Amino acid sequence: MDIDVEEIRNHFPIFERFRRDGIVYLDNAATTQKPREVVDAITSFYYNSNSNVHRGVYRIGEEATELYNHSRENIASFIGARSEEIVFVRNATEALNIAANNLPDVVGRDSEVIISRMEHHSNIVPWHLASTRYGIRVKMMENLPDRQITWEDIEKNLTKKTRIVSLSQCSNILGTINDLSAIGKRLHELGIIFVVDAAQSVPHMPVDVKKLNCDLLAFSGHKMLGPSGIGCLYGTSEILENMPPYMGGGEMIREVYENGFTTADVPEKFEAGTPNIEGAIGLSAAVDFLKRIGMDNVRSHEKELIKYTLEKEEEYALESLHSYGPRNPDIRAGIYTFQMKKGDSGKPYGNYVHPHDISHLADRIRGVEIRSGHHCAMPQTVALGTYATARASFYIYNGKEDVDTFFDALKAIEKKMIA
Amino acid sequence: MDIDVEEIRNHFPIFERFRRDGIVYLDNAATTQKPREVVDAITSFYYNSNSNVHRGVYRIGEEATELYNHSRENIASFIGARSEEIVFVRNATEALNIAANNLPDVVGRDSEVIISRMEHHSNIVPWHLASTRYGIRVKMMENLPDRQITWEDIEKNLTKKTRIVSLSQCSNILGTINDLSAIGKRLHELGIIFVVDAAQSVPHMPVDVKKLNCDLLAFSGHKMLGPSGIGCLYGTSEILENMPPYMGGGEMIREVYENGFTTADVPEKFEAGTPNIEGAIGLSAAVDFLKRIGMDNVRSHEKELIKYTLEKEEEYALESLHSYGPRNPDIRAGIYTFQMKKGDSGKPYGNYVHPHDISHLADRIRGVEIRSGHHCAMPQTVALGTYATARASFYIYNGKEDVDTFFDALKAIEKKMIA
Amino acid sequence: MTDDTIYSQILDDHYREPRNFGRMEDPDVQVTETNPTCGDTISLFIKVKDGNLEEISYVASGCLISVASASILSEKATGSSLKEIRTMAKSDVLKNLGLKLGPAREKCALISYDALMKAIDRYNSS
Amino acid sequence: MTDDTIYSQILDDHYREPRNFGRMEDPDVQVTETNPTCGDTISLFIKVKDGNLEEISYVASGCLISVASASILSEKATGSSLKEIRTMAKSDVLKNLGLKLGPAREKCALISYDALMKAIDRYNSS
Ligand SMILES: Cc1ncc(COP(=O)(O)O)c(C=O)c1O
Ligand SMILES: Cc1ncc(COP(=O)(O)O)c(C=O)c1O
């Protein structure tokens, strides 16, 4: 591994508590911990330059605006974009809502959009809402739980009316890393708009929006060491300029009259009201932190970890353990979703351990903190034949010893709960 | 005054810089400074319990959820509401967008909404957008710059189709404090939905949503010592339950299928995706800080300050100075908007000082930091016969000596710039 | 705390042998309730006689907490008057479990309670 | 720094006596540009002859920075070829002012530049 996990942990003050209380945090697909550098950037803003942005011509107003603008530039360049292609939003969910709500008027309301079954609710429900509001048709294509999405999967669902395809670059439940650049290229040849949910990819691997051939792309700050309440919608200038505004209010206008208004230029057109200024500054500091490590190293570290996890799974060979997702670490993120189940009788006890109990017990027994539930991906979960699973997910501060503790916990849980 | 300004300043680390650089920050209507208590609450979350909310059944997940839920309760009770009546949003602007976007389907798309001319763009543009999207009609009623909005102002614009009235409790440009409870009562008798923009009132005076007789109410955290990126939409359970969801995604759903979804209960129904968790926690700490001072004291302190300002204005009697807003401190917030102008010749020099120059010069000459521009209230600004004004606005850490410095700056500016 | 004493003896026992578990023929009311946190569901059945809860049963695909909580609740409620049951508070249910739960798991513990209250309301208004 | 030396001598001078200020009869192109930060507007007029900017004028309700910047720009541009003017960068304009500006005030300084570039583009495409 190219990453010195112990060195990295020293940047995260919460590890003091983790060490004290014996906690192994493995819910990084839900949210990540924050390094001191990020918190310090936010605190320093509060204690030195805090003021509103865009309009203040006095000193601290100009300073705040400069910090905010610099943050946008820094985050943009991190994914190969230009500053004016980045809209600050609350989270990936809001970014996808802007896409789904505003594209129908760009592509026409009788259009069809294709999404996959492995999508997070945030890349499903906004399209359903747009369908209700504007009449566009949403098609959910099937995908296999142990394979990437292929061009053939998409092709089966293409019609003349298909004008939008929206896919996640990495599944938050299967860990599948989809190979999207080739798909993007073909979609563009067909004049189809390509939206990418990058909530699980931008934090974990090098992402270049130009190489991806996407038109819009969404991600969240809190999943990449940054604060919550901040995320980005990347969009090509062409798309952003063609889309109508989403919310109205301060900052996003040029002029307002009694009966109407004109909009500001992009990206401000999509940023109504006072933005999350310290959120942007914190996310920029997170980007700096990740750049110092190098996204290639982040990816290879997590690949090592998932490889090790799959090896341990075979080594332990727990009777009740079933996991999902591709077995090839090359196309698999650091996400391990599983169930503990032996048979199927009427009553719950002895045959399976409910994921909530797995999560609760893993924490109580070995301090291993993992998620349980549908992980906001009900269609995929149901397609796996269940309503809930448990999930462990890794980040830069996790090491192989965390994987060991995790399997140790599963073994103890099986012993306690499976007849 | 009941407030010990010097004692309060000690809670705000940015005052170290202000003292060092001789800065007098008077742009509090745009955003306020943050006390150490707020920043510490955020940092402590990052360093002890940081994790996602709602779904984690492990320890730090439950801790985060408890902190988040407690914050909602605390903020709710601050304005006399119940927890489930508070939707967390990014800012007042988003709250008003939810209102404007979602009410048309509650009241019918051929309805009329009345707003006033003194509204902030955030209470104008969302209604224009809703008009474009859903066909509702927006009426902007007139109001006098030195008087509260009266029932008669509204009555003139009422028709059978009026189903919504949306007004600010306090104007961010005139400082007018509107007396809304009586208006709310009459609107309710007529079955009209009453939306209140409380962005400038909740931070500065006691506000009780039940006494106000409003159905929906909006405010921002960053204008009341809290972080940016967090704000609230208050709504009665009845209204919130009747409104369709705004954004789709994680957290706001109950179940998601291939072809549709069911929504979670309010308020989660309106909170798609990972919320601004530390934002909510920081705002709750800000509320605690304000409660310790007492909102009655906050209001009487600012009333004293604006009274003193109006006295100083008369005392200095600057030839070019023109200010706006009610002269009665009882109905006037700590907001002082003005121009410097003597005559009107073709060329700019000597006759007036552009508000940008006032702001720039006030900062450079005396360290006084005030805002200039249309303050996101173009219709009101135009109705004052101009395109831009300058504005000083106060908060709990401002004292009379700040007002003195401010007038001293204006005097110097007049001397330099007016022929 | 050892691996075996995380949940109390009582909870473990109710989970291993849930009382009144199963579907019911001809119930007076049947209610299905979902936990939005995890998609878990409980189907709950009641029979009422002379204003009293004569019989109650349920099938649940839930976790230990939700199954044990349903089992305990079903024991407590059987034979009581609907009126009496309707005055039970959520806090009573949580107290019966004898375990401090965080907000997410409280929802697990309360799903059977929600279902039972709904069933009673539906019975009363029919 | 005294109260009098905040803006440079040059800026003050251009503000007090802006060059080429006023409307123009029969311009080849007229452009009105608004600064979204403050609602300030500039109306800019140009006359072109043989590919050169023969005449330029403007009326601006702007601040010192925007008026002085327009004045300086109008002096520099008069007589130059449209081609040459079109290669001017924003940074050139800012450099001419001899004053470090923050992002908000940069917009003030550049409003006349934006208007002039628009006017030239419009002239070329007509
Ligand atoms: C009266 C009023 N309404 C709404 C807003 C919008 O607040 P925000 O930018 O925090 O959404 C403001 C703030 O400028 C305001 O003064
Ligand atoms: C694939 C994917 N998309 C979207 C989201 C939504 O992210 P957020 O809740 O930050 O909006 C998530 C996070 O859970 C995710 O994993």
Side-chain angles (χ1 to χ4, degrees):
Chain A
M1 289 193 219
D2 295 309
I3 281 190
D4 179 350
V5 169
E6 267 312 317
E7 202 282 314
I8 285 182
R9 285 180 186 163
N10 288 333
H11 292 261
F12 292 77
I14 202 171
F15 270 87
E16 279 169 36
R17 173 180 178 183
F18 286 177
R19 288 193 192 101
R20 196 171 60 240
D21 292 354
I23 288 174
V24 176
Y25 180 76
L26 294 181
D27 193 15
N28 294 290
T31 204
T32 58
Q33 299 306 327
K34 321 302 174 202
R36 191 179 286 108
E37 286 80 349
V38 167
V39 181
D40 285 352
I42 296 169
T43 305
S44 159
F45 171 71
Y46 284 138
Y47 290 171
N48 290 294
S49 311
N50 176 72
S51 59
N52 214 320
V53 289
H54 292 325
R55 287 158 206 281
V57 303
Y58 48 79
R59 266 170 292 172
I60 66 167
E62 297 275 22
E63 284 170 24
T65 306
E66 265 164 15
L67 284 166
Y68 184 66
N69 291 349
H70 166 75
S71 300
R72 196 195 299 268
E73 261 170 52
N74 191 36
I75 296 161
S77 85
F78 183 64
I79 58 163
R82 282 173 299 119
S83 199
E84 61 272 26
E85 295 174 321
I86 295 293
V87 177
F88 280 130
V89 291
R90 176 171 37 241
N91 48 28
T93 301
E94 185 178 14
L96 291 163
N97 274 275
I98 296 178
N101 188 71
N102 294 12
L103 283 178
D105 274 339
V106 175
V107 298
R109 295 185 172 194
D110 65 339
S111 302
E112 288 177 6
V113 51
I114 298 176
I115 58 178
S116 87
R117 195 165 58 189
M118 69 170 79
E119 298 312 314
H120 187 277
H121 292 163
S122 296
N123 197 21
I124 301 175
V125 184
W127 302 104
H128 284 322
L129 276 176
S131 170
T132 311
R133 281 184 196 149
Y134 308 117
I136 60 159
R137 202 166 149 229
V138 185
K139 278 192 183 175
M140 185 181 282
M141 69 187 196
E142 293 186 13
N143 49 261
L144 292 178
D146 54 358
R147 231 189 48 190
Q148 293 170 301
I149 291 171
T150 64
W151 176 250
E152 288 65 40
D153 295 333
I154 297 170
E155 209 168 25
K156 268 185 243 163
N157 292 276
L158 281 181
T159 72
K160 279 197 179 138
K161 291 193 168 171
T162 310
R163 300 297 311 282
I164 305 167
V165 171
S166 186
L167 300 175
S168 53
Q169 190 174 5
C170 175
S171 156
N172 73 315
I173 175 163
L174 303 169
T176 319
I177 301 171
N178 290 308
D179 183 8
L180 295 185
S181 13
I183 290 175
K185 191 148 172 281
R186 298 182 86 148
L187 290 174
H188 277 180
E189 284 161 14
L190 298 172
I192 292 170
I193 290 176
F194 189 29
V195 182
V196 173
D197 174 358
Q200 294 295 349
S201 54
V202 167
H204 299 284
M205 57 197 75
V207 170
D208 183 311
V209 287
K210 303 300 168 190
K211 284 190 198 140
L212 266 183
N213 297 310
C214 62
D215 299 285
L216 293 163
L217 178 139
F219 62 98
S220 288
H222 68 95
K223 292 188 199 283
M224 52 191 286
L225 312 180
S228 68
I230 188 82
C232 297
L233 171 66
Y234 156 81
T236 61
S237 299
E238 194 194 336
I239 287 270
L240 291 183
E241 269 154 28
N242 282 335
M243 288 204 303
Y246 183 54
M247 293 193 203
E251 319 290 356
M252 59 70 71
I253 57 92
R254 185 172 291 271
E255 293 191 317
V256 174
Y257 324 99
E258 183 173 339
N259 298 309
F261 66 95
T262 54
T263 57
D265 293 337
V266 295
E268 277 82 11
K269 177 171 125 185
F270 295 102
E271 297 177 0
T274 302
N276 187 344
I277 305 164
E278 57 266 41
I281 291 168
L283 177 52
S284 177
V287 159
D288 287 336
F289 193 92
L290 288 170
K291 282 200 297 195
R292 275 196 299 275
I293 297 176
M295 290 310 293
D296 281 320
N297 294 327
V298 172
R299 171 61 193 139
S300 60
H301 175 69
E302 293 180 19
K303 190 166 139 185
E304 269 300 305
L305 281 181
I306 192 69
K307 192 161 158 261
Y308 185 74
T309 304
L310 296 174
E311 284 163 16
K312 281 282 145 184
E313 179 188 66
E314 293 184 8
E315 194 182 309
Y316 272 76
L318 296 176
E319 192 188 9
S320 66
L321 184 66
H322 302 269
S323 79
Y324 308 99
R327 309 284 305 176
N328 175 359
D330 287 339
I331 60 164
R332 173 87 176 254
I335 288 176
Y336 181 79
T337 296
F338 63 101
Q339 282 213 86
M340 298 182 82
K341 186 174 188 154
K342 222 180 63 183
D344 213 349
S345 79
K347 291 196 185 175
Y349 169 69
N351 297 289
Y352 99 122
V353 194
H354 190 282
H356 271 13
D357 295 327
I358 300 177
S359 172
H360 198 179
L361 288 165
D363 185 23
R364 301 300 286 272
I365 292 176
R366 295 288 183 275
V368 174
E369 305 209 318
I370 60 176
R371 180 138 299 225
S372 57
H374 51 53
H375 315 294
C376 297
M378 265 188 78
Q380 183 62 62
T381 303
V382 169
L384 296 176
T386 181
Y387 286 99
T389 57
R391 179 186 71 188
S393 52
F394 309 122
Y395 210 24
I396 47 173
Y397 33 66
N398 293 121
K400 287 186 180 169
E401 71 283 13
D402 295 337
V403 179
D404 294 338
T405 313
F406 167 67
F407 276 101
D408 194 34
L410 294 192
K411 190 171 170 185
I413 292 170
E414 183 173 270
K415 178 149 170 280
K416 176 179 167 60
M417 302 288 285
I418 298 284
Chain B
M1 288 191 219
D2 295 310
I3 281 189
D4 179 349
V5 168
E6 267 312 318
E7 202 282 315
I8 285 182
R9 284 181 188 163
N10 288 335
H11 293 261
F12 291 79
I14 202 171
F15 270 87
E16 280 170 36
R17 173 179 179 186
F18 286 178
R19 288 194 191 102
R20 196 171 58 239
D21 291 355
I23 288 174
V24 176
Y25 181 76
L26 295 180
D27 194 15
N28 294 289
T31 205
T32 59
Q33 299 305 328
K34 320 303 174 204
R36 191 179 288 107
E37 285 81 348
V38 166
V39 181
D40 285 352
I42 296 169
T43 305
S44 158
F45 172 70
Y46 284 139
Y47 290 170
N48 289 294
S49 312
N50 175 73
S51 61
N52 214 322
V53 289
H54 293 323
R55 285 159 207 281
V57 303
Y58 49 79
R59 265 169 294 172
I60 67 166
E62 297 275 21
E63 284 170 23
T65 306
E66 265 164 14
L67 284 166
Y68 185 66
N69 291 350
H70 166 76
S71 300
R72 197 195 298 270
E73 262 170 53
N74 191 35
I75 296 161
S77 85
F78 183 63
I79 58 163
R82 280 174 299 122
S83 200
E84 60 272 27
E85 296 174 321
I86 295 293
V87 177
F88 280 130
V89 291
R90 176 170 36 240
N91 49 28
T93 301
E94 185 179 13
L96 291 164
N97 274 276
I98 296 178
N101 188 72
N102 293 13
L103 283 179
D105 274 340
V106 176
V107 298
R109 294 186 173 196
D110 65 339
S111 302
E112 287 178 6
V113 51
I114 298 175
I115 58 177
S116 87
R117 195 165 60 189
M118 68 168 80
E119 298 312 315
H120 187 278
H121 292 162
S122 295
N123 197 21
I124 301 175
V125 184
W127 302 105
H128 285 322
L129 276 176
S131 170
T132 310
R133 281 184 195 149
Y134 309 116
I136 61 159
R137 203 168 147 229
V138 185
K139 276 192 185 175
M140 185 180 283
M141 69 185 194
E142 293 187 13
N143 50 262
L144 293 178
D146 55 359
R147 231 189 47 191
Q148 293 170 302
I149 291 173
T150 64
W151 177 249
E152 288 65 42
D153 295 333
I154 297 170
E155 209 168 25
K156 267 183 245 163
N157 291 277
L158 281 181
T159 72
K160 280 196 178 139
K161 292 193 166 170
T162 309
R163 299 298 312 280
I164 304 166
V165 171
S166 186
L167 300 175
S168 53
Q169 190 174 6
C170 175
S171 155
N172 74 314
I173 177 163
L174 303 169
T176 319
I177 301 171
N178 290 308
D179 182 8
L180 295 185
S181 12
I183 289 175
K185 191 149 172 278
R186 298 183 84 147
L187 290 174
H188 278 181
E189 284 160 16
L190 297 172
I192 293 170
I193 290 177
F194 188 29
V195 182
V196 173
D197 175 356
Q200 295 295 348
S201 54
V202 167
H204 299 285
M205 57 196 76
V207 170
D208 183 311
V209 287
K210 303 301 168 189
K211 285 191 198 141
L212 265 183
N213 297 309
C214 62
D215 299 285
L216 293 163
L217 178 140
F219 61 97
S220 288
H222 68 94
K223 293 188 198 284
M224 50 191 285
L225 311 180
S228 68
I230 189 81
C232 297
L233 172 65
Y234 156 82
T236 60
S237 298
E238 194 195 336
I239 287 270
L240 291 182
E241 271 154 27
N242 282 335
M243 289 203 303
Y246 183 55
M247 293 193 202
E251 319 290 356
M252 58 70 70
I253 56 93
R254 184 172 292 270
E255 293 191 318
V256 174
Y257 324 100
E258 184 173 338
N259 298 310
F261 66 95
T262 54
T263 58
D265 293 336
V266 295
E268 277 82 11
K269 178 170 125 186
F270 296 102
E271 295 177 0
T274 303
N276 187 343
I277 305 165
E278 57 266 40
I281 291 169
L283 178 51
S284 176
V287 159
D288 287 337
F289 194 91
L290 288 170
K291 282 201 297 197
R292 275 195 299 277
I293 297 176
M295 290 310 293
D296 280 318
N297 294 327
V298 172
R299 170 61 193 140
S300 62
H301 175 70
E302 293 181 20
K303 190 167 140 186
E304 270 299 305
L305 281 180
I306 193 68
K307 192 161 158 262
Y308 185 73
T309 304
L310 297 175
E311 284 162 16
K312 280 283 146 183
E313 180 188 65
E314 293 184 8
E315 194 181 310
Y316 272 76
L318 296 175
E319 191 189 7
S320 67
L321 185 64
H322 302 270
S323 78
Y324 308 98
R327 309 284 305 174
N328 175 0
D330 287 338
I331 59 164
R332 173 85 176 255
I335 289 176
Y336 181 79
T337 296
F338 63 100
Q339 281 214 85
M340 297 182 83
K341 185 171 188 157
K342 222 179 61 180
D344 212 352
S345 80
K347 292 192 184 173
Y349 169 68
N351 297 287
Y352 98 122
V353 195
H354 189 282
H356 272 11
D357 295 326
I358 300 177
S359 171
H360 198 179
L361 288 164
D363 185 24
R364 302 301 285 271
I365 292 176
R366 296 288 183 274
V368 174
E369 306 209 317
I370 60 176
R371 181 137 298 224
S372 56
H374 51 52
H375 315 295
C376 297
M378 265 188 80
Q380 183 61 64
T381 303
V382 169
L384 296 175
T386 182
Y387 286 99
T389 58
R391 179 187 71 189
S393 52
F394 310 123
Y395 210 23
I396 47 171
Y397 33 66
N398 294 122
K400 288 187 179 168
E401 72 283 13
D402 295 337
V403 179
D404 295 337
T405 313
F406 167 67
F407 276 101
D408 193 35
L410 295 192
K411 190 172 168 185
I413 292 169
E414 181 172 271
K415 179 147 171 280
K416 176 178 166 64
M417 301 290 283
I418 298 284
Chain C
M1 187 175 65
T2 72
D3 292 4
D4 285 328
T5 57
I6 287 157
Y7 300 117
S8 70
Q9 190 65 48
I10 299 171
L11 282 191
D12 259 351
D13 179 51
H14 276 275
Y15 179 59
R16 277 158 205 264
E17 289 300 337
R19 327 293 194 258
N20 306 303
F21 195 91
R23 309 197 154 266
M24 189 188 291
E25 297 287 310
D26 296 320
D28 289 329
V29 184
Q30 165 175 355
V31 163
T32 298
E33 189 69 17
T34 307
N35 180 347
T37 340
C38 57
D40 282 352
T41 56
I42 184 169
S43 293
L44 183 133
F45 311 82
I46 61 170
K47 260 202 192 97
V48 181
K49 200 173 169 185
D50 302 331
N52 293 328
L53 186 71
E54 197 186 35
E55 217 183 301
I56 176 170
S57 80
Y58 56 89
V59 286
S61 70
C63 58
L64 184 147
I65 301 287
S66 73
V67 171
S69 177
S71 173
I72 294 172
L73 181 70
S74 74
E75 276 198 328
K76 298 247 173 223
T78 307
S80 300
S81 75
L82 298 195
K83 225 168 163 177
E84 208 177 308
I85 300 172
R86 202 63 192 79
T87 63
M88 271 180 74
K90 291 186 179 189
S91 51
D92 297 329
V93 175
L94 296 174
K95 222 182 300 157
N96 290 337
L97 297 178
L99 185 72
K100 196 199 156 327
L101 294 174
R105 296 232 84 182
E106 276 189 2
K107 287 190 190 168
C108 304
L110 291 169
I111 182 169
S112 49
Y113 170 87
D114 289 341
L116 179 56
M117 295 302 151
K118 256 193 203 166
I120 292 176
D121 290 348
R122 212 173 285 170
Y123 179 84
N124 286 335
S125 68
S126 70
Chain D
M1 187 175 64
T2 72
D3 293 2
D4 286 329
T5 57
I6 287 157
Y7 300 119
S8 70
Q9 190 66 44
I10 299 170
L11 283 192
D12 260 351
D13 178 53
H14 275 275
Y15 179 59
R16 278 158 205 263
E17 288 299 337
R19 327 294 194 258
N20 305 303
F21 195 92
R23 308 197 155 267
M24 189 188 290
E25 298 286 307
D26 297 321
D28 289 329
V29 183
Q30 165 177 354
V31 162
T32 299
E33 189 69 15
T34 307
N35 180 347
T37 340
C38 57
D40 282 351
T41 56
I42 184 169
S43 293
L44 183 132
F45 312 81
I46 61 170
K47 261 203 191 93
V48 181
K49 201 171 164 185
D50 302 332
N52 293 328
L53 186 70
E54 197 187 32
E55 218 183 303
I56 177 171
S57 81
Y58 55 90
V59 286
S61 69
C63 59
L64 185 147
I65 302 287
S66 74
V67 171
S69 177
S71 174
I72 294 172
L73 180 70
S74 74
E75 276 198 328
K76 298 247 174 223
T78 307
S80 301
S81 74
L82 297 195
K83 224 167 165 175
E84 207 177 309
I85 299 171
R86 202 64 192 78
T87 63
M88 270 178 76
K90 292 188 178 185
S91 51
D92 297 331
V93 175
L94 295 175
K95 220 181 302 158
N96 289 337
L97 297 179
L99 185 72
K100 195 199 156 323
L101 294 175
R105 297 230 84 182
E106 276 188 3
K107 288 191 190 165
C108 303
L110 291 169
I111 182 170
S112 49
Y113 169 88
D114 288 342
L116 179 56
M117 294 303 152
K118 256 192 202 165
I120 291 174
D121 290 348
R122 214 172 283 171
Y123 179 86
N124 286 334
S125 68
S126 69

